[in-house]
Amino acid sequence: MSSPRLEEPGRTYRGAGPQQRQEERRLRLIDAAVEVFGTTGYRSATVGKICAVAGLTKRYFYESFTDSEALLLAAYGTVTDRLREDVLAGAGRDPADLDTRVRGALTAFFESVAEDPRISRVAFQEVLGVGPEVDRAYRRVTLEFVDAVLFVINPAIDRAPDPHLHTLATGLVGAVLMIAQQWVLSERPQPIEAVIADAHTILSSVLGRLTD
């Protein structure tokens, strides 16, 4: 009786089934994409280079992704999810002290950007001008950050979200993202404490009007 092939559905290898191994390979490719796109850029990257960094063959690339743009979308989603989680964690759990929540969220955001330059390059530079699908992802992620801002401020302002509040939150997200983008691109960047303070001035000025 012949032994079952490794590709056979349900076959386990070192305790991992086929689906688990595929997901592990997919995550390795995403990690490699963050490394490559975040250091040398998306436009100069090749599938072969990504696979080499991931330690996988091209066969496994096309197992999970149709092309490099699909991988860029996955890498972009990964780094922005990480940023948004850091923002929410930095805001803390005290619903009453809005200033503390805002300052904590901003500090977590800018520290994450500063600690890993690959994140900011993928999130703020490499996704620009790629194509319609990436543009749609950029708008979707922006709205997710708007939701994060609403999550941070709503407990303190005691007000249900409405179109006016959503518009203000959108403007605040745009301001912070632009500050971060220009900060990381600057040849002489300000100290992180100064950048956080400037962003906090903008947010506190607007949010102060809502709590008066």
Side-chain angles (χ1 to χ4, degrees), residues 6-172:
L6 290 178
E7 294 82 3
E8 185 177 331
R11 173 70 173 174
T12 60
Y13 178 70
R14 295 182 179 176
Q19 290 185 336
Q20 182 180 345
R21 296 200 307 276
Q22 180 177 345
E23 180 61 16
E24 289 171 350
R25 290 191 292 267
R26 179 179 179 276
L27 293 176
R28 284 168 62 182
L29 287 164
I30 293 173
D31 287 343
V34 172
E35 173 64 26
V36 175
F37 298 162
T39 53
T40 59
Y42 168 71
R43 288 163 180 82
S44 64
T46 64
V47 170
K49 185 173 184 179
I50 297 292
C51 290
V53 173
L56 297 168
T57 65
K58 289 184 180 181
R59 165 198 171 190
Y60 291 121
F61 177 92
Y62 292 107
E63 172 187 63
S64 295
F65 302 101
T66 55
D67 53 28
S68 58
E69 185 174 317
L71 180 58
L72 174 64
L73 287 168
Y76 178 56
T78 295
V79 299
T80 53
D81 282 350
R82 190 183 311 169
L83 281 174
R84 191 170 62 256
E85 289 167 3
D86 289 343
V87 166
L88 295 175
R93 298 183 178 276
D94 184 356
D97 190 347
L98 178 59
D99 188 74
T100 298
R101 288 172 65 83
V102 169
R103 191 179 293 275
L106 287 172
T107 299
F109 175 78
F110 283 102
E111 285 181 346
S112 295
V113 168
E115 287 170 2
D116 192 345
R118 301 174 308 167
I119 290 179
S120 60
R121 181 161 181 173
V122 172
F124 305 150
Q125 300 175 56
E126 297 304 318
V127 295
L128 301 179
V130 173
E133 188 173 356
V134 179
D135 289 344
R136 285 191 290 272
Y138 185 85
R139 291 192 294 272
R140 184 178 64 252
V141 167
T142 299
L143 291 176
E144 290 171 353
F145 273 96
V146 170
D147 289 340
V149 169
L150 293 173
F151 177 85
V152 171
I153 68 176
N154 273 335
I157 64 175
D158 191 25
R159 170 178 168 180
D162 57 38
H164 173 64
L165 191 57
H166 193 275
T167 299
L168 288 175
T170 302
L172 295 176

